[in-house]
Each structure stands twice: as structure tokens, then as C-alpha cells.
Amino acid sequence: MSSISRFMETNFRHFNARETLDAAKAWNDLLGRGGKMFLTMAGAMSTCELGISLAEMIRQDKVHAISCTAANLEEDLFNLFNHNEYKMVPEYRDLSPEAEKALYDQGFNRVTDTCIPEGVLRQVQRRISKLWAAAADSGKPMFPYEYMYALLDQPDIEQFFQVPKEHSWVLAAKEKGLTIYSPGFEDSTLGNIFCAEVILGHVKSHSAIRTGTEQMEVLAQWYTEQGKAGTPIGFFQIGGGIAADFPICVVPMLIQDLEREDTPFWAYFAQIGDSTTSYGSYSGAVPNEKITWGKLDIDTPRFMINSDASIVAPLIFAYVLGW
């Protein structure tokens, strides 16, 4: 056992620490039974550079499919292409409205202590627009992640990287051939740019992007194939929202709407978040509530870690990786 894992085994004994360690151990147990892990990301996980550890999880076959907000999908590439232009504001709690406006006037959009330059991805935006236009013209639409993969496949693209390519979880996913589901693509910077390109006439129509229901169909096919092969699938949720509720609903859809009653429930569930349960939110719902929705079974291992995902997720990844 390496240093991080040994530290967790020694010190993580109670409360959220104990829950964190138990979730990590159960992840390893799932993989040891020949299972696979489906990971979801909301929040600003790519902005906080979770990709440094997540990319290694993907490379070592600890994660097998991903659902994330389109913002997390694009922000991993923003960091890959524009990292040196970001600005850190450690004293963000003390910023006045005037200071916030000054950041805006300087071309920065703030996410907590991290300011993302307004011009992110501009040096490759023209390339993405050409991919969108070609798909619309040919009548061969693609999912958002497939455009990211096509961009990363361009032979001269690496000249634009500003961080080690090993730190990009999207690049790692591409190299492993993983599917990335991104429901709600329109709620993202690239979604806004895509819409603007259509309005300007640079892209012929909105049909260049395959729809969310098509994503659900692809997910249903994948989940069914895993079930037929006897492969248990776990669900590791960072945050909540559409990135998580969209894919977890594939199980009740298969059982209730397609009447495939032999569909297995999710075989593991863990959630990191800080949403309050009593507010009625999906993000704050305790795991056992999902039993009533036909997502989990009564014996599904369930973990709810009320903490900061930017701290907890890398620790769990480190444990699973044996670091």
C-alpha cells in the first residue's frame, strides 16, 4: 500500500472520512468482480483540474464511461489550450462589485478563485466551426464529444497545448475510446458559440449536433450490452444535476418504459456533494431515495460524502489507483 492509501487507511475512520474510504474500497471491489464504473461530473471539476487524476483513472481502466455537463467537457480543453492565460484570485471572497466588473472588463469570467479568459479556445474555434459546418452540410451530425475528439485528432493540434497532455481527461478518454455523454449541450460556452454560428449562417443548421434523446438511446444500448454480458455497472456521482440524473435514469427507462424487467440495477452508487437534502433537490437526495425511482436496489452499496469534491475525488482516485 502506497503513502496516500496508507494515510487514508490510518486516519479516515469516522464521518465523511470513513464514508470516503468505504466508497473507494467498494470501487475496488466492483472492479475486482469484473465490473465497470460510470462517472458523472457537474460543477467546475475541469476548471479545478480534476483531469490530472481523472485522466490516470481512465488510462488505467478504472472509469469506463462518463457523463458531464457540456461545460466540464469544454473546460478540460479550455485548460489544455489556454492554461497560461488563466488568472488566480485567492482573495476572491473580498472582491467588491467594482473589482468584479474590472475582471469582466479585462476579459475574465470568474469561477471561485479561478478566472477563465473570455477568449478561451479562440485559436481553435475556427477549426471547430469548420467541423460543425461540414457535419451540417453533409447531413452527418455528431455528438459534442465526437467534435472534441475530431479536434484532438488533427495532426498539428498539439502545438496549442499549454499543459502536459497527460493532464487532460478528455484526451485520455479519446485515447481509450470512451463515450462522453453531455446532456444539455446548449448550456455551455461552445453551445452558445454554436448557436451564434448558426444565426450568422456559418453553420447551415442546428442539425449538426445529435440530440440528447439520441444520447440516451446510445447509453441504453451500452447498458443493455453490459447487462447481457453479466458486467455490473457502478455509478460515481460528483455533484448532481443533469450530468447525473440523465444517465442514472437509463435503468428505470429500460425497466419501465421498454419493459425489460431483467435489466440489472446500478451495482454501486457513490455521491460527493454539499447540497442539503431537505431542499428537495436531486443533488441533495440521499441514495436510498433512488430505490423508489427504480435506479438502485436495496442491496446496492451506497455512499454519500458531504464534502468538497475538489479534495475528496482525487483522494478516492488515488486510493483506487493504489497511490
Side-chain angles (χ1 to χ4, degrees):
M1 185 177 294
S2 64
S3 57
I4 296 176
S5 298
R6 188 182 304 112
F7 177 86
M8 292 173 67
E9 290 273 8
T10 302
N11 295 280
F12 283 27
R13 297 176 178 239
H14 305 281
F15 316 138
N16 279 301
R18 190 267 315 151
E19 191 88 345
T20 297
L21 180 58
D22 286 353
K25 288 180 175 179
W27 190 324
N28 278 336
D29 290 344
L30 175 75
L31 299 181
R33 293 187 285 117
K36 295 182 177 181
M37 187 62 78
F38 191 104
L39 183 141
T40 76
M41 285 191 294
M45 292 298 97
S46 289
T47 301
C48 79
E49 298 188 72
L50 187 65
I52 294 172
S53 53
L54 177 56
E56 189 62 22
M57 289 285 283
I58 294 168
R59 283 191 292 269
Q60 293 198 27
D61 297 315
K62 309 297 186 182
V63 172
H64 305 87
I66 294 173
S67 173
C68 65
T69 58
N72 269 304
L73 175 63
E74 67 188 10
E75 284 171 16
D76 182 75
L77 296 190
F78 292 170
N79 182 65
L80 181 64
F81 292 121
N82 295 87
H83 177 85
N84 296 341
E85 301 160 38
Y86 280 48
K87 179 178 181 177
M88 298 301 296
V89 187
E91 71 284 1
Y92 68 92
R93 293 179 180 86
D94 301 325
L95 294 177
S96 66
E98 291 77 16
E100 302 278 22
K101 182 60 164 58
L103 286 171
Y104 172 78
D105 290 341
Q106 294 168 30
F108 287 107
N109 303 140
R110 185 172 67 81
V111 179
T112 312
D113 63 353
T114 306
C115 295
I116 304 173
E118 180 65 32
V120 288
L121 219 61
R122 296 302 182 192
Q123 68 267 54
V124 293
Q125 179 184 336
R126 190 171 302 174
R127 296 176 183 234
I128 294 176
S129 294
K130 287 182 178 179
L131 293 171
W132 290 333
D137 291 343
S138 66
K140 296 179 179 178
M142 295 194 294
F143 291 123
Y145 83 95
E146 292 178 306
Y147 286 105
M148 302 298 99
Y149 286 5
L151 175 66
L152 292 171
D153 274 335
Q154 294 183 357
D156 61 340
I157 199 68
E158 197 166 334
Q159 66 179 302
F160 297 110
F161 293 178
Q162 294 186 2
V163 297
K165 62 182 182 181
E166 294 80 13
H167 291 181
S168 169
W169 70 263
V170 174
L171 184 56
K174 182 191 78 69
E175 291 171 347
K176 278 290 185 178
L178 268 58
T179 299
I180 303 174
Y181 304 89
S182 54
F185 167 71
E186 56 273 20
D187 182 22
S188 66
T189 297
L190 285 179
N192 294 165
I193 292 172
F194 173 76
C195 183
E197 292 289 86
V198 174
I199 292 171
L200 291 169
H202 299 161
V203 177
K204 187 168 66 174
S205 73
H206 293 281
S207 64
I209 304 292
R210 295 182 67 179
T211 67
T213 52
E214 287 181 282
Q215 292 190 64
M216 179 60 81
E217 182 180 2
V218 171
L219 175 56
Q221 292 170 347
W222 179 81
Y223 195 91
T224 299
E225 290 169 0
Q226 304 307 312
K228 289 180 178 178
T231 305
I233 306 296
F235 196 93
F236 189 83
Q237 176 179 317
I238 301 175
I242 192 173
D245 198 32
F246 172 84
I248 203 170
C249 285
V250 71
V251 169
M253 185 197 78
L254 288 168
I255 295 173
Q256 299 169 17
D257 302 322
L258 290 172
E259 299 183 351
R260 299 177 184 174
E261 297 182 359
D262 59 343
T263 298
F265 293 103
W266 294 97
Y268 162 109
F269 178 84
Q271 173 180 347
I272 307 172
D274 60 0
S275 182
T276 303
T277 299
S278 63
Y279 291 169
S281 67
Y282 170 84
S283 302
V286 293
N288 56 287
E289 181 178 292
K290 293 171 177 58
I291 297 172
T292 72
W293 290 88
K295 301 168 183 176
L296 306 179
D297 207 350
I298 58 174
D299 58 353
T300 302
R302 302 184 297 275
F303 308 93
M304 187 169 187
I305 305 162
N306 296 113
S307 190
D308 183 339
S310 68
I311 299 171
V312 172
L315 286 172
I316 292 177
F317 295 167
Y319 190 93
V320 173
L321 289 166
W323 290 353

